[in-house]
Amino acid sequence: MQKVLKLVAVFTLIMCFMACSDDDDNARTVSFKRAVYILSSNQAIEVEIGLSEPAGQELVVPFEVFGTAVEGEDYSLFAREFVVAPGENSAKIVITPVDNIYSDRQIRLELGNVVGYEYGNYRVALIPVETKEVITTSFVTDTYELKNFVTVSMNMYIGGSSYKNPSYPVLVPFEIDPSSTAELGIHFEIVGGNQQLVMPIGGTSAQVKLKCLKKEAGKDKIVLRMSDEDLHYLAGERNRTIITIDGPTRFEDLVGIWRMDGFTSLAHVKSSVLSGDESDLEHLPENNPVTDKLIFKTGATNRMDVSQITGDLARYLRDCDLSSVKEEEEYLYEMGDNPPFQSVLTMEMSEANVNYSVTSTKIRKAQIGFRLLDGGNTLELRVFDYEPTDFLQKTYQYRSTSSAFSKEPMKRDFTLVFKFVREN
């Protein structure tokens, strides 16, 4: 700000000098409207000239560009002259910031000669260039799995603090590393086509979405890395991430015997109960012995056999047919305040006891989620379509009558997640 004030003082002296000149007071003049403009770090500006009287015909006013700022690096300028339309007494040009990361740079514009016109108060305009802050970037995780689609996310930081909620879209270019075995356009595509991660206005992370086109053995790795060309961004902890193309999950991938390995969302469910109401936490389905087994079979129909489930999950599950509904990305809220966005296969069970109870029974079709992890050796079972009568009763009553939770009142913080490991 002190530098800007100094510039204003200099131009005030220039204005006084020019005002004391011997020019004819009745001469037609052309002048910048202001002595000083400021090019902000992320928003274009309009620089304007004015005439002392409207132009009788189209008037072209040339100007020269000087200064320490570098065109194409700090700013872009698409005109080298002002064009005043007949009957008008002003014209504008636009200057746009580019990668202005260096301090103490400025643009100096100087009006050229115009036949029949004298210079007014400001023949010269100085434009200090505000610097963009360098943003440190880091992919959220080292690895992703691409089923149908995958959203790759990047966190951003300025001065060690998280950078979020920008007032304009932030575009972060990336490169597809030569170590990738999958080919763009054959095995995958970038949704939207632009090789950049985008943090939208008000966003919390920059993202890009990839689509699976083809799964091929030996050509299933995509390596994304930060571009070295954009000086506005500095690679942080994770400057690259590896995406493995798994392709859509098939029921055949589930076929086999799976042994219980724990109720993994229990702590999150307990912490999410409104006001920590202890009565709502009574009788949670915590009894899930490691001897319990799920069996998936193919035949005339795709079947889930729960005859070897003896713990609390038996209150909910029934032997049933399974049919695929969709496989798409969902936020996994049980994983914390900044939940990851991961592919979940949703299937419909031909029957389930949605009351999740020994004493209360309501049998109907219900949806359930699956995720295959660890190269197909771990199965995640996600129970969200339930109407509990033994536990979380108040939570369910509140969420099922609130418009905020739509048709799946228990899906977000109260999805019950169980992990199984493959036996064969």
Side-chain angles (χ1 to χ4, degrees), residues 231 243 356-357:
L231 299 178
I243 300 104
Y356 214 127
S357 171

Side-chain angles (χ1 to χ4, degrees), residues 309-344:
I309 298 292
T310 63
D312 288 343
L313 196 52
R315 304 185 202 175
Y316 178 75
L317 294 179
R318 297 291 185 270
D319 287 348
C320 64
D321 292 337
L322 285 171
S323 56
S324 182
V325 176
K326 59 185 176 181
E327 185 169 26
E328 62 184 18
E329 291 179 301
E330 299 178 4
Y331 286 108
L332 308 184
Y333 288 94
E334 73 275 7
M335 293 190 180
D337 294 334
N338 188 22
F341 204 40
Q342 301 286 342
S343 287
V344 176

Side-chain angles (χ1 to χ4, degrees), residues 28 37 72 87 119 125 132 144 213 219 239 305:
R28 291 181 299 174
Y37 294 81
Y119 299 120
K132 291 182 179 178
Y144 288 88
L213 297 180
K219 296 185 178 181
N239 73 334
D305 180 342

